[in-house]
Amino acid sequence: MLGQSPEVARKRKPYRPSSGCVLLYVGVDKTWEDATTHQFFLPPSLEGSLQEVFNQRRIPAKSSFYVFNPVALDETAAPQGQSVLYFLIPVPDAEGVDWDQESEALAERILEEAEQRGFRDFVQRSSGKRYVHPLTQSETGSMGAVALV
């Protein structure tokens, strides 16, 4: 109110994201008739996996991941007889992880697991892969900058 001194500016803590994600974009020379557009793959312990990401700030030994399969909804999303799959994998933020090394290993592990859990012949039929990791995102400020795997 009038006559009162203004509030003292509060000091803010430096911003640090609570988590990040690795995005994989994969072209595949195959379609899956029984695959839905949106699929979630959970590890044996989702709580344990999320604790590793948010509290321990490390890549989980068993990750959860989401797969978007647009060809299941729109067959023109990829050339005839082919698919494009988008994977989103929760991971810690960019600090403290060698993303150039860890992203590739994580991508391979997730792609093999996707094959075992629903996308048969996926790894063998993959025709191209790209990924974005938290360091790429923090350096470019964009999810669109991708590096070849």
Side-chain angles (χ1 to χ4, degrees):
M1 312 288 188
L2 293 176
Q4 291 183 350
S5 61
E7 274 189 46
V8 176
R10 294 182 184 157
K11 288 187 177 182
R12 293 186 177 189
K13 294 181 181 178
Y15 173 74
R16 181 170 182 188
S18 60
S19 67
C21 68
V22 169
L23 297 173
L24 299 173
Y25 305 93
V26 185
V28 187
D29 294 326
K30 180 179 177 152
T31 60
W32 291 270
E33 300 289 325
D34 58 341
T36 60
T37 305
H38 305 281
Q39 296 181 56
F40 294 88
F41 293 87
L42 302 177
S45 172
L46 179 59
E47 182 179 349
S49 177
L50 294 177
Q51 290 289 334
E52 288 181 83
V53 170
F54 290 101
N55 296 336
Q56 299 167 14
R57 295 193 175 274
R58 67 178 186 209
I59 297 171
K62 295 283 186 178
S63 298
S64 60
F65 58 96
Y66 160 78
V67 181
F68 175 52
N69 177 23
V71 173
L73 186 63
D74 176 7
E75 62 187 32
T76 66
Q80 179 138 6
Q82 297 181 5
S83 297
V84 59
L85 301 175
Y86 304 91
F87 292 75
L88 186 149
I89 309 153
V91 296
D93 65 349
E95 291 183 28
V97 177
D98 181 351
W99 287 107
D100 290 329
Q101 180 180 1
E102 296 295 332
S103 292
E104 199 164 333
L106 176 62
E108 293 307 313
R109 181 167 50 88
I110 294 299
L111 297 179
E112 288 173 12
E113 187 170 341
E115 179 174 80
Q116 293 169 5
R117 295 181 68 186
F119 291 95
R120 198 170 151 170
D121 301 325
F122 174 72
V123 174
Q124 180 183 352
R125 304 291 292 273
S126 296
S127 58
K129 294 175 270 193
R130 295 176 186 262
Y131 68 86
V132 179
H133 54 67
L135 186 58
T136 308
Q137 296 163 26
S138 68
E139 288 175 348
T140 65
S142 168
M143 298 298 282
V146 294
L148 289 175
V149 174

